[in-house]
Amino acid sequence: MPPKFKVGNILESKDEVIIVTGNGTLDRRGHLVMGAGSAKALAEMYPGIPEFFGTNLMYHSVFDLKNTDRNIGDLKLYGLLLRESGFKTEKHQMVGVLQTKIHWKDSSSLSLIGYSLTHLHNYMQTNPPAVSLVFPGIGLGGLKRSEVLPMLMEFDKHLTIYELPKTRKGK
Amino acid sequence: MPPNYVHGNVLKSKAQLIVVTTNGVIRDGKLVMGAGAAKDLSERYSDIPEKAGYIIQTLYRDIVYQKDPKRSAYLYGYVSLTQKRRRLIGLLQTKLHWKDKASLTVIGFGLTKLRTFVAAFDIQSVAMNFPGIGLGGLDKFAVYPMLNELDERYTIHILEK
């Protein structure tokens, strides 16, 4: 069974795991930049979450990337913030971030989405929970839906992919 | 600038880094390299399957269990090896088990690690075979958008049948 697709707001999902898309940019305070899209909506719901993820990125195994932008702190390659680095809500849901780009100003990268989805695939291999994921890379990421879709079709029915009405109609 | 696409055998390239596609199965301590570009590479450098098997088992201890346990394999994405005369060889994983079809997410995983390696060590030229098509069974138009994210340092070799 292929994954399920839903049009709507992922933050209203009742699944055990909710994953929004994000970048690999830490600001000068060491907080993960979550200033747009589903990441922004999540940060507005839980204001401490950029600091929580930023701190986790300092301590968990990730690649540090070369940074020439003085306006930001660090650039990280992590793929997926979940497992021990996920955020637990008061509704006992686990919230994570799937990386689609490095700098927040970049367009999303298909290979980076593949990198991050491979981590998610591994997470879901044994005792898969019900996972809700934002359709990665489209919308603000600038990728075509048709380019990302084949990677998502490698998942099964335990994954539900959320799209906003405007991106569903797009490219 | 996008990568270059050429017809021909990647092993004849003079690039600083030669990358061939591989799977994640290790048998008797050796990476299985029994078909395609990986087979050609192992015939040229007979020590590579054992060397790669050792590195992958040492660095990537976790086996990925698939629904069919017989198809469980290692997930490493990309590893580099140095051969005689400082020849730099890269192995890009396109699938878990050698019997599987190639996976776009695994190719993305490997390409991200390859790009990180090339940037960190300032590699100036990379030659690689087109990943996932041929024995991998993917349509080349599904893989193209991902390859087009690479830059002009990369040359993708397509084998003429």
Side-chain angles (χ1 to χ4, degrees):
Chain A
M1 282 279 283
K4 292 170 271 186
F5 290 85
K6 271 190 184 174
V7 176
N9 182 356
I10 191 171
L11 299 181
E12 290 167 9
S13 166
K14 302 268 187 289
D15 282 346
E16 297 155 81
V17 178
I18 293 177
I19 302 173
V20 300
T21 50
N23 57 66
T25 311
L26 298 186
D27 65 19
R28 285 176 163 185
R29 298 168 299 169
H31 298 182
L32 183 64
V33 173
M34 300 176 78
S38 57
K40 183 181 180 186
L42 183 69
E44 283 171 355
M45 188 178 270
Y46 302 104
I49 219 167
E51 183 177 2
F52 176 85
F53 285 133
T55 307
N56 271 313
L57 281 172
M58 296 288 184
Y59 293 107
H60 290 296
S61 171
V62 287
F63 292 103
D64 287 307
L65 302 172
K66 194 175 168 188
N67 174 28
T68 52
D69 184 349
R70 287 183 183 180
N71 294 316
I72 61 165
D74 291 308
L75 292 176
K76 305 276 186 183
L77 172 66
Y78 56 87
L80 181 67
L81 280 171
L82 202 63
R83 294 185 200 267
E84 67 272 21
S85 47
F87 180 83
K88 229 174 189 154
T89 70
E90 71 278 8
K91 292 179 201 161
H92 304 290
Q93 287 175 303
M94 180 69 89
V95 178
V97 181
L98 183 106
Q99 187 175 13
T100 66
K101 52 174 82 171
I102 304 290
H103 197 295
W104 66 267
K105 285 180 182 171
D106 296 341
S107 293
S108 291
S109 153
L110 281 168
S111 55
L112 180 50
I113 291 172
Y115 179 86
S116 307
L117 287 176
T118 300
H119 284 286
L120 179 60
H121 209 269
N122 261 358
Y123 173 79
M124 293 177 72
Q125 279 294 340
T126 44
N127 301 320
V131 175
S132 288
L133 170 71
V134 171
F135 200 119
I138 57 174
L140 293 167
L143 295 176
K144 290 180 185 165
R145 192 176 184 277
S146 59
E147 291 172 341
V148 185
L149 192 60
M151 288 195 275
L152 298 174
M153 295 306 283
E154 292 181 10
F155 286 80
D156 64 17
K157 61 180 181 184
H158 295 97
L159 183 68
T160 303
I161 294 140
Y162 277 78
E163 293 174 78
L164 291 173
K166 58 182 176 187
T167 57
R168 182 74 181 86
K169 281 184 209 158
K171 299 173 263 186
Chain B
M1 283 280 283
N4 307 294
Y5 293 91
V6 298
H7 285 280
N9 186 345
V10 68
L11 298 183
K12 289 183 180 164
S13 167
K14 298 272 187 281
Q16 194 181 351
L17 171 63
I18 307 279
V19 179
V20 300
T21 50
T22 48
N23 60 71
V25 179
I26 293 174
R27 193 181 290 151
D28 301 326
K30 296 177 182 174
L31 181 66
V32 172
M33 300 175 77
K39 185 180 180 187
D40 294 344
L41 182 72
S42 69
E43 284 171 354
R44 180 171 291 197
Y45 303 105
S46 58
D47 60 332
I48 280 189
E50 191 169 357
K51 218 185 235 184
Y54 176 77
I55 291 171
I56 293 164
Q57 283 180 309
T58 309
L59 295 180
Y60 305 92
R61 290 179 190 157
D62 294 333
I63 288 177
V64 174
Y65 293 96
Q66 302 210 76
K67 279 175 190 149
D68 176 0
K70 287 180 188 164
R71 293 212 175 181
S72 297
Y74 287 87
L75 175 67
Y76 54 91
Y78 173 79
V79 291
S80 302
L81 309 164
T82 312
Q83 291 300 110
K84 284 176 190 164
R85 292 185 220 131
R86 295 187 183 175
R87 198 85 172 113
L88 198 52
I89 303 288
L91 305 177
L92 178 83
Q93 187 173 13
T94 62
K95 52 173 85 171
L96 285 172
H97 197 280
W98 62 268
K99 283 183 182 171
D100 295 340
K101 202 178 156 190
S103 153
L104 278 172
T105 54
V106 173
I107 292 172
F109 183 74
L111 283 176
T112 300
K113 292 186 76 175
L114 168 64
R115 291 171 75 179
T116 308
F117 175 81
V118 167
F121 292 93
D122 200 22
I123 306 284
Q124 293 303 310
S125 58
V126 183
M128 62 188 285
N129 65 303
F130 200 117
I133 58 171
L135 293 167
L138 294 178
D139 186 322
K140 67 179 173 185
F141 293 104
V143 190
Y144 262 132
M146 207 178 265
L147 294 178
N148 284 337
E149 292 179 353
L150 303 172
D151 60 31
E152 68 277 7
R153 287 174 293 181
Y154 294 81
T155 302
I156 316 296
H157 289 247
I158 305 167
L159 257 190
E160 284 173 278
K161 288 184 182 170

